[in-house]
Amino acid sequence: MKRAAEIPRQVLLSALNDQDAQLLHTWRQDPAVVDGTLGYPFPTSLEAERDWIRSFMPRGTPTDLCFGIRGSIDGPLQGYAQLRGIDWLARCAEFGVVIGNPDARGWGLGKATVQAMVGYAFGNLRLQRLWLRVASF
């Protein structure tokens, strides 16, 4: 387990890139990560991860955005956060966050990510409403 000093205290939202695909692929094979999300309940290939990352590269007006969660511009990927189904007319979207690094859980990174994403969604994108799905477990 990492020491508290090694866990980022601030969140930088960054674009995901092909170099992140291997780590994302590893997380999606981890039952602790998969069971804690509403994502794919089955294994994926490394190439599928790369395709998933590329699907968020805007072509026109995006309806889905995904950001890597890092502590600094060159820091390691800790997880990812999404805005899905963005309705630009109604100014709303679904929000999701995954802290994939098991050592980074329980240190406030999720809370910092929510604050950063809400600030980005309401400030930069001018959305007016966000929602998220929560599993009862």
Side-chain angles (χ1 to χ4, degrees):
M1 177 130 157
K2 287 194 176 188
R3 294 173 299 161
E6 298 173 26
I7 304 300
R9 291 292 181 223
Q10 64 182 30
V11 168
L12 174 74
L13 300 174
S14 68
L16 292 172
N17 56 56
D18 278 347
Q19 290 77 26
D20 295 323
Q22 181 61 54
L23 187 53
L24 290 167
H25 181 254
T26 301
W27 291 342
R28 284 199 214 274
Q29 313 315 307
D30 181 353
V33 174
V34 173
D35 291 347
T37 70
L38 299 175
Y40 304 127
F42 49 84
T44 60
S45 69
L46 183 56
E47 190 55 37
E49 290 300 332
R50 289 186 181 110
D51 290 344
W52 183 76
I53 290 170
R54 290 181 197 120
S55 76
F56 292 106
M57 295 177 184
R59 292 174 287 281
T61 303
T63 57
D64 296 323
L65 297 173
C66 188
F67 301 91
I69 300 168
R70 303 177 198 280
S72 64
I73 193 76
D74 58 349
L77 188 66
Q78 303 294 326
Y80 62 91
Q82 294 179 281
L83 293 173
R84 299 186 52 93
I86 299 170
D87 183 329
W88 295 103
L89 294 176
R91 317 287 303 155
C92 62
E94 181 178 1
F95 168 73
V97 62
V98 172
I99 304 300
N101 177 357
D103 293 335
R105 295 184 200 132
W107 296 99
L109 193 58
K111 180 179 179 179
T113 300
V114 169
Q115 291 171 336
M117 286 294 287
V118 167
Y120 182 80
F122 291 165
N124 296 62
L125 300 180
R126 304 286 188 240
L127 298 181
Q128 297 175 352
R129 191 172 44 241
L130 294 177
W131 73 90
L132 92 127
R133 296 171 208 235
V134 179
S136 62
F137 56 84

